[in-house]
Amino acid sequence: MEESKEKLKKEIERLKKEKNAIILAHNYQIEDVQLIADFLGDSLDLSRKAKETEANIIIFAGVYFMAETAKILSPHKKVLIPEKDARCPMADMVTAEELLKFKEKYPDAKIVAYVNTNADVKAVADVCVTSANAVDVVRKLDADKIIFVPDKNLAHYVAKNVRDKEIIPWPGFCYVHRSFLATDVEASRQIYPDAVLLVHPECDPEVVEMADYVASTQGMINLAKKLPARRFLIATESGLVTRMQREIPEKEFYNAGLPKVCSNMKKITLKSIYYSLLEEKYEIEIPPDIMEKAKLSLDRMLEYSK
Ligand code: 13P
Ligand code: SF4
């Protein structure tokens, strides 16, 4: 088993060099994948990396919308996702057609699309945001009324922090983050009363309310490094806790409650990455008109969050 894992890793390295490929991976990937990634990060840093890479091929170890985002930002690169069924259920909770119908009720509103959306939705949005920059981008946006899709919890968090704008939320949600219950988080706090509680804004408002800090996955890593505290309770997918334990061994990290798993993020393995590189599958393809419009929304986001 270990031997075949080592063999796979060697083959992946060989193919990467031969094809001038780069592996971008999200913080929720399994540890084996985290360890072979050229770059590991949150949605915002991964999209920046996708835009600036010199590689010919991007292997995206994450969910579909993330690989699509990489393709939109790097249209001349070949972008591959090792498992085409690795999708984010929240991103599938809104379509462009539904959104445009909804907007008829609010003709003067601007549309802000969380990056956890499919390309057709990004194409009809005015700007995209990630969990790292949503508050900042919405604050800077020239609009009094904003339709925010698809995460109602992130919409709620933004509304709380940008009081002078009306935020109209879409009723989407992340099943992983919604499974953090305030009672479980409180029980973890009783066990580690000195721990700093870091919460992802996709969690329900009562859990966000309990947080010492609300942050994206990369934001949590930065806080854990920067703060003097030694213990942290983490309310996001457990892959991030694995990364924090590995990279910041002098501090302690615990899941806030039972570990939560995004099953789609965990579909990608060393084997699927190997075959993805070898057979150059599964290639992300987006119709050119959607691609062009979606790129405007993503470029605007990167511009606002410089
Ligand atoms: P981050 O951008 O904070 O890594 O979040 C992505 C995501 O899908 C959270 O569930
Ligand atoms: Fe989507 Fe939630 Fe998984 Fe993130 S954790 S990819 S929002 S289902």
Side-chain angles (χ1 to χ4, degrees):
M1 180 65 191
E2 276 309 307
E3 195 193 335
S4 62
K5 202 195 263 186
E6 287 314 309
K7 217 166 140 190
L8 271 176
K9 284 193 209 161
K10 275 202 188 114
E11 278 303 292
I12 289 171
E13 286 306 324
R14 184 184 66 76
L15 285 168
K16 253 175 45 184
K17 276 202 196 94
E18 184 184 304
K19 300 190 179 207
N20 187 22
I22 185 174
I23 300 175
L24 302 185
H26 186 265
N27 288 322
Y28 298 161
Q29 290 293 294
I30 61 167
E31 189 160 40
D32 282 344
V33 172
Q34 292 190 12
L35 288 168
I36 53 140
D38 294 291
F39 184 79
L40 194 54
D42 68 359
S43 314
L44 181 61
D45 287 345
L46 287 166
S47 56
R48 287 188 177 128
K49 214 64 195 173
K51 196 177 163 112
E52 71 199 26
T53 181
E54 297 284 321
N56 295 335
I57 297 181
I58 298 173
I59 302 282
F60 207 105
V63 284
Y64 203 87
F65 78 80
M66 294 181 173
E68 252 188 1
T69 301
K71 177 69 188 175
I72 296 164
L73 289 169
S74 251
H76 306 299
K77 304 266 153 67
K78 190 178 249 191
V79 179
L80 306 171
I81 184 160
E83 295 284 348
K84 62 177 181 311
D85 297 332
R87 298 187 66 88
C88 167
M90 176 162 72
D92 292 333
M93 287 177 185
V94 58
T95 65
E97 208 184 336
E98 290 164 342
L99 181 54
L100 289 176
K101 183 103 199 84
F102 185 73
K103 187 169 184 311
E104 285 171 11
K105 285 196 270 180
Y106 307 98
D108 54 339
K110 286 206 168 154
I111 298 175
V112 173
Y114 190 22
V115 73
N116 298 39
T117 43
N118 295 312
D120 63 330
V121 170
K122 290 185 175 77
V124 299
D126 292 285
V127 66
C128 289
V129 295
T130 74
S131 58
N133 62 20
V135 169
D136 205 29
V137 172
V138 169
R139 235 179 232 146
K140 290 177 185 162
L141 195 63
D142 180 22
D144 297 327
K145 207 180 264 185
I146 286 160
I147 297 171
F148 192 104
V149 293
D151 187 13
K152 63 176 179 181
N153 284 349
L154 184 59
H156 185 272
Y157 177 68
V158 169
K160 241 188 66 189
N161 286 281
V162 190
R163 295 282 189 187
D164 59 335
K165 295 187 179 177
E166 186 190 350
I167 311 287
I168 305 152
W170 192 262
F173 61 90
C174 163
Y175 78 97
V176 181
H177 287 87
R178 289 212 62 196
S179 65
F180 283 95
L181 303 180
T183 45
D184 295 346
V185 175
E186 188 46 44
S188 305
R189 269 197 148 164
Q190 299 292 326
I191 302 172
Y192 303 108
D194 60 331
V196 171
L197 174 61
L198 306 182
V199 175
H200 197 278
E202 286 177 16
C203 290
D204 281 345
E206 54 271 38
V207 175
V208 169
E209 217 41 68
M210 297 166 75
D212 292 306
Y213 297 89
V214 179
S216 74
T217 56
Q218 193 56 47
M220 290 184 185
I221 295 177
N222 299 344
L223 282 164
K225 285 182 179 161
K226 192 179 84 179
L227 295 169
R230 288 200 45 78
R231 280 203 181 115
F232 292 85
L233 279 167
I234 309 296
T236 194
E237 211 267 359
S238 59
L240 183 76
V241 182
T242 312
R243 179 177 174 195
M244 290 171 123
Q245 278 162 347
R246 187 179 65 242
E247 291 186 4
I248 318 173
E250 67 280 16
K251 298 194 178 184
E252 293 170 31
F253 300 94
Y254 302 96
N255 289 284
L258 288 175
K260 307 294 188 291
V261 174
C262 173
S263 55
N264 284 287
M265 282 281 185
K266 303 306 198 221
K267 283 180 179 163
I268 295 171
T269 59
L270 287 182
K271 202 169 175 176
S272 59
I273 289 180
Y274 167 69
Y275 281 109
S276 178
L277 264 165
L278 185 72
E279 296 170 13
E280 300 193 10
K281 64 182 187 184
Y282 297 94
E283 186 169 358
I284 303 292
E285 283 170 308
I286 304 166
D289 55 326
I290 292 192
M291 183 113 137
E292 224 170 276
K293 290 183 190 144
K295 189 166 186 305
L296 290 176
S297 303
L298 283 165
D299 281 342
R300 251 177 239 135
M301 168 185 87
L302 294 175
E303 198 52 41
Y304 276 126
S305 54
K306 256 182 186 163

